[in-house]
């Protein structure tokens, strides 16, 4: 039986709007405007799936005055992207609008808190599959098939590169056109929910990379009334990726901030509908509005309720103000960590003070363990394997140095993040073009060895809670030999010591004084016990090598 279903479009300063759809043979039906700025229309629809679109007299400056334009519903939760028309899709069940009929199974599973996370950043299309993969592009379903691999590695959070509907079939997603719809080429809405649900079932949190700085040039809001939601022109033409949301703009008549209102609606929607566990905010430096960020983070946390929810800013270069006491975010990408460790692993420089600054972010003014997300590469940078190759460091030597980088990453203060493939030595240069991970590499001894090393370090991190906090002390520094040692501990008696040699020299019988405790320590990388006396320990340190000593 048909029931009245309301269609509405918020376009407060547009003169006229109309609705058309498969239910009207695509004939336009005029909509009525209310004092709240919404055009509304009710249509009698039976249960089923319908395509629809709005027409509106545009107020955007790049059209003729009051020109009629077709626009997709800015709030459409599914898009008919394959048809080329970008119609909205609405599903009706029991007389109500629904996104899909997915039933959640794992909502009651406990999830790890922020300070215990090891994040894995991935791109849906490039992560799943491989060179001999019969699928040209990976989908949500194929990520699900790889979850056991991530569990084996020890990952307990994945960060999905943007998955909101973008134009075309391949993109990194930083050109979002539709803010409530998931990218069609990756699968159905229910497939994404199943991926998130399966992650929760395995104790993995799902963080979403979102773009709130800008939208793609022909996103629906740009067509309706560009300057109501966006800045008229780019504020920084050198860092411009599309129309920029104007979070300062206030509408006196309706007592609302239009851009904030729209983005607030999207955040609540993704948390309620898709059960996500955190957000990585792209281009926070360009957004440059802490009031808005405070507000949006509050909205996210209120919506998430009791479950842990991690808000991470990509603010590059990083700034402590975004995440400290008065800062809006829980954490931020620690870009200086990446630059410093890369230069030291590649042998470009040696600067003890800079190393200490990035290994202990408190020296830079950050407050604690969840204020920074550390990485030695991400989607924006080449993997260190590529950087080493550029310096003619290959094969065994390259893998040897990558282990040193991994040891620092997993033992520094902060939340570690791995970019897909780095854990086994993927060597492809970074490119926004399609670039699938070469899973076949895992069959090689060196690649498998690096994977096992990462797996062991992540396991160490999870079992040695000294690495969850912010306690750290540098116990030994030798600028001439390029050696640095530090200890991490907690109040429950967990303690580790990391001794790192950043030189090309093998240091036989190297003496490390000031060990935090005398007695038996276990050297984790080579699996042997060693006694520390009052004068510390003596050990052989390989070139570009870290030793990790765990208190027994």
């Amino acid at each position: 039986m048909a029931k009245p279903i309301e269609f509405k479009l918020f376009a407060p300063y547009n003169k006229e709007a109309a609705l058309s759809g498969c239910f009207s043979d695509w004939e336009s039906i005029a909509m009525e405007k209310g004092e709240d700025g919404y055009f509304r229309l009710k249509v009698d629809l039976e249960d089923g799936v319908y395509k629809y679109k709005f027409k509106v007299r545009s107020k955007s400056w790049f059209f003729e005055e009051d020109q009629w334009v077709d626009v997709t519903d800015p709030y459409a939760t599914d898009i008919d992207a394959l048809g080329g028309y970008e119609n909205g899709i609405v599903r009706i069940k029991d007389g109500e609008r629904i996104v899909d009929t997915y039933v959640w199974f794992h909502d009651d599973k406990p999830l790890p808190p922020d300070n215990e996370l090891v994040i894995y950043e991935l791109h849906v299309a490039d992560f799943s599959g491989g060179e001999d993969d019969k699928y040209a592009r990976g989908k949500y379903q194929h990520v699900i098939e790889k979850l056991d691999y991530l569990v084996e590695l020890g990952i307990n959070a994945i960060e999905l590169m943007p998955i909101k509907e973008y134009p075309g079939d391949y993109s990194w997603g930083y050109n979002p056109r539709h803010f409530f719809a998931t990218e069609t080429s990756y699968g159905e809405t229910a497939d994404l929910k199943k991926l998130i649900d399966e992650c929760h079932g395995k104790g993995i949190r799902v963080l979403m990379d979102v773009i709130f700085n800008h939208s793609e040039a022909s996103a629906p809001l740009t067509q309706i009334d560009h300057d109501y939601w966006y800045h008229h022109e780019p504020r920084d033409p050198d860092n411009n990726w599309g129309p920029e949301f104007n979070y300062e703009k206030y509408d006196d008549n309706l007592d609302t901030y239009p851009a904030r209102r729209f983005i607030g609606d999207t955040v609540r929607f993704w948390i309620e509908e898709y059960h996500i566990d955190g957000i990585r905010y792209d281009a926070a430096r360009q957004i440059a509005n802490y009031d808005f960020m405070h507000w949006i983070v509050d909205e996210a946390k209120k919506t998430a309720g009791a479950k842990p929810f991690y808000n991470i800013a990509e603010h590059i270069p990083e700034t402590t103000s975004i995440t400290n006491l008065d800062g809006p975010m829980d954490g931020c990408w620690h870009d200086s960590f990446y630059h410093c460790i890369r230069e030291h692993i590649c042998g470009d420089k040696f600067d003890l003070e800079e190393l200490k600054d990035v290994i202990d972010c408190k020296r830079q003014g950050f407050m604690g363990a969840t204020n920074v997300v550390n990485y030695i590469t991400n989607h924006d940078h080449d993997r260190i394997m590529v950087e080493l190759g550029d310096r003619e460091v290959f094969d065994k030597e390259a893998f040897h140095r990558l282990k040193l980088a991994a040891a620092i990453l997993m033992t520094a203060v902060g939340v570690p993040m791995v970019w897909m493939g780095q854990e086994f030595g993927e060597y492809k240069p970074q490119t926004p073009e399609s670039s699938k991970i070469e899973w076949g590499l895992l069959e090689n001894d060196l690649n498998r060895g690096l994977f096992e090393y990462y797996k062991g370090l992540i396991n160490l991190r999870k079992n040695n809670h000294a690495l969850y906090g912010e306690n750290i002390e540098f116990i030994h520094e030798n600028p001439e030999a390029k050696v640095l040692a530090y200890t991490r501990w907690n109040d429950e008696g967990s303690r580790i010591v990391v001794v790192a040699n950043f030189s090309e020299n093998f240091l036989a019988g190297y003496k490390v004084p000031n060990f935090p405790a005398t007695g038996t320590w276990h050297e984790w990388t080579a699996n042997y016990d060693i006694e520390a006396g009052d004068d510390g320990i003596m050990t052989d340190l390989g070139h570009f090598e870290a030793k990790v000593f765990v208190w027994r």
Side-chain angles (χ1 to χ4, degrees):
M1 195 178 94
K3 290 195 176 163
I5 301 297
E6 183 177 75
F7 291 82
K8 61 181 187 177
L9 177 68
F10 184 63
Y13 298 100
N14 300 68
K15 288 181 179 166
E16 289 182 89
L19 168 73
S20 63
C22 58
F23 42 77
S24 69
D25 287 335
W26 296 100
E27 293 295 319
S28 293
I29 318 167
M31 302 176 77
E32 282 205 20
K33 189 173 181 184
E35 293 189 354
D36 58 359
Y38 280 98
F39 286 92
R40 289 184 172 83
L41 178 68
K42 285 189 173 165
V43 182
D44 287 337
L45 295 177
E46 295 185 1
D47 284 4
V49 181
Y50 302 90
K51 294 176 184 174
Y52 70 102
K53 202 154 203 172
F54 294 121
K55 259 188 162 58
V56 65
R57 286 198 185 271
S58 176
K59 284 191 66 66
S60 299
W61 41 267
F62 40 82
F63 290 120
E64 299 288 318
E65 192 175 343
D66 292 331
Q67 179 182 332
W68 280 103
V69 295
D70 285 343
V71 292
T72 310
D73 182 355
Y75 282 76
T77 58
D78 205 354
I79 302 291
D80 174 29
L82 303 174
Y85 300 107
E86 299 216 346
N87 298 312
I89 296 175
V90 62
R91 287 181 172 76
I92 311 297
K93 186 169 191 283
D94 302 331
E96 303 281 342
R97 282 172 173 257
I98 60 162
V99 175
D100 51 50
T101 55
Y102 186 79
V103 178
W104 294 84
F105 289 99
H106 300 297
D107 274 348
D108 56 342
K109 290 277 167 46
L111 295 169
D114 298 347
N115 66 324
E116 296 182 13
L117 298 184
V118 179
I119 302 171
Y120 192 91
E121 189 194 12
L122 67 89
H123 181 274
V124 171
D126 284 344
F127 171 70
S128 39
E131 291 311 300
D132 53 354
D133 180 25
K134 60 184 183 290
Y135 301 104
R137 312 276 355 109
K139 295 176 181 286
Y140 300 127
Q141 174 56 36
H142 306 137
V143 180
I144 293 173
E145 290 165 13
K146 286 262 186 285
L147 288 182
D148 285 343
Y149 165 84
L150 293 177
V151 169
E152 186 194 348
L153 180 59
I155 296 301
N156 57 13
I158 59 172
E159 181 177 302
L160 296 172
M161 280 175 71
I163 52 174
K164 294 180 184 177
E165 184 75 62
Y166 49 70
D169 284 343
Y170 186 85
S171 159
W172 275 1
Y174 295 100
N175 53 338
R177 187 180 278 176
H178 302 289
F179 280 71
F180 289 78
T182 165
E183 171 54 33
T184 316
S185 66
Y186 298 161
E188 308 273 332
T189 56
D191 298 336
L192 174 57
K193 289 181 182 176
K194 184 168 195 274
L195 167 58
I196 295 169
D197 203 14
E198 293 285 329
C199 282
H200 290 166
K202 295 176 187 297
I204 297 173
R205 284 171 61 181
V206 180
L207 317 178
M208 239 175 87
D209 190 341
V210 299
I211 296 88
F212 293 155
N213 174 64
H214 60 279
S215 66
E216 190 267 338
S218 55
L221 297 180
T222 68
Q223 311 295 293
I224 297 167
D225 186 350
H226 183 286
D227 290 5
Y228 187 64
W229 283 279
Y230 302 94
H231 290 284
H232 181 68
E233 55 195 23
R235 291 162 298 165
D236 174 5
D238 293 337
N239 287 300
N240 172 249
W241 306 283
E244 296 167 354
F245 286 106
N246 183 350
Y247 294 115
E248 291 80 55
K249 185 181 173 73
Y250 178 70
D251 180 342
D252 284 321
N253 299 329
L254 293 175
D255 183 25
T256 192
Y257 288 92
R260 295 188 194 191
R261 169 191 186 132
F262 178 72
I263 294 301
D265 287 346
T266 76
V267 164
R268 286 185 292 270
F269 170 79
W270 283 93
I271 297 171
E272 286 167 356
E273 189 69 34
Y274 287 95
H275 302 199
I276 61 169
D277 311 292
I279 291 175
R280 179 260 192 195
Y281 298 78
D282 184 65
R285 185 170 76 88
Q286 282 72 23
I287 294 173
N289 184 321
Y290 277 19
D291 277 349
F292 160 69
M293 289 189 217
H294 270 293
W295 178 79
I296 201 71
V297 165
D298 284 347
E299 290 297 301
K301 293 206 162 169
K302 269 191 300 209
T303 310
K307 78 170 184 174
F309 198 90
Y310 197 17
N311 293 278
I312 309 163
E314 181 220 25
H315 190 295
I316 293 177
E318 77 248 8
T319 169
T320 55
S321 68
I322 201 158
T323 177
N324 280 359
L325 274 180
D326 303 327
M329 296 287 168
D330 302 318
C332 69
W333 273 23
H334 195 191
D335 211 47
S336 57
F337 183 93
Y338 153 74
H339 287 286
C340 175
I341 301 303
R342 182 198 54 150
E343 289 170 331
H344 283 80
I345 295 301
C346 291
D348 298 349
K349 71 189 287 190
F350 183 75
D351 183 329
L352 256 179
E353 294 307 307
E354 197 182 313
L355 272 172
K356 286 156 62 182
D357 283 350
V358 301
I359 292 170
D360 177 11
C361 60
K362 298 193 302 303
R363 288 171 51 105
Q364 296 173 315
F366 290 99
M367 293 180 59
T370 54
N371 294 133
V372 294
V373 174
N374 295 324
Y375 47 88
I376 51 178
T377 186
N378 61 37
H379 69 267
D380 276 329
H381 299 293
D382 276 335
R383 297 176 174 96
I384 290 192
M385 184 63 96
V386 177
E387 300 274 358
L388 288 167
D390 290 346
R391 292 159 180 79
E392 303 204 332
V393 177
F394 299 112
D395 301 330
K396 209 167 171 183
E397 176 60 24
F399 282 94
H400 180 75
R401 294 197 195 188
L402 288 177
K403 288 181 177 174
L404 171 57
I408 304 293
L409 173 65
M410 292 299 168
T411 60
V413 177
V415 174
M417 183 177 80
V418 175
W419 165 233
M420 59 177 193
Q422 88 178 46
E423 73 278 10
F424 59 78
E426 172 63 271
Y427 60 89
K428 288 197 192 82
Q430 174 265 84
T431 163
E433 303 306 309
S434 168
S435 178
K436 296 190 85 164
I437 288 192
E438 203 158 323
W439 290 101
L441 292 173
L442 277 163
E443 289 159 27
N444 305 334
D445 289 348
L446 285 170
N447 300 85
R448 174 52 72 171
L450 182 61
F451 171 84
E452 294 294 342
Y453 193 82
Y454 263 92
K455 177 174 148 182
L457 277 169
I458 293 171
N459 201 34
L460 174 70
R461 201 183 155 80
K462 287 178 167 171
N463 290 321
N464 198 304
H465 297 177
L467 297 170
Y468 286 165
E470 47 258 15
N471 293 337
I472 184 169
E473 186 186 350
F474 296 97
I475 58 171
H476 174 67
E477 306 167 23
N478 184 339
E480 288 71 39
K482 300 186 180 175
V483 174
L484 176 65
Y486 53 92
T487 181
R488 306 279 319 271
W489 72 93
N490 68 3
D491 298 338
E492 284 77 61
S494 292
R495 193 181 264 288
I496 71 162
V497 170
V498 179
V499 183
N501 176 10
F502 288 93
S503 80
E504 294 180 353
N505 304 316
F506 178 82
L507 304 173
Y510 189 88
K511 196 162 185 314
V512 185
N514 309 324
F515 246 63
T518 57
T520 305
W521 291 73
H522 183 75
E523 203 287 307
W524 175 84
T525 65
N527 193 21
Y528 62 88
D529 286 348
I530 188 168
E531 293 297 316
D534 292 335
D535 53 353
I537 61 155
M538 194 175 274
T539 186
D540 291 345
L541 276 182
H543 73 292
F544 286 105
E545 181 177 70
K547 292 272 172 85
V548 180
F549 298 95
V550 182
W551 178 239
R552 281 297 203 195

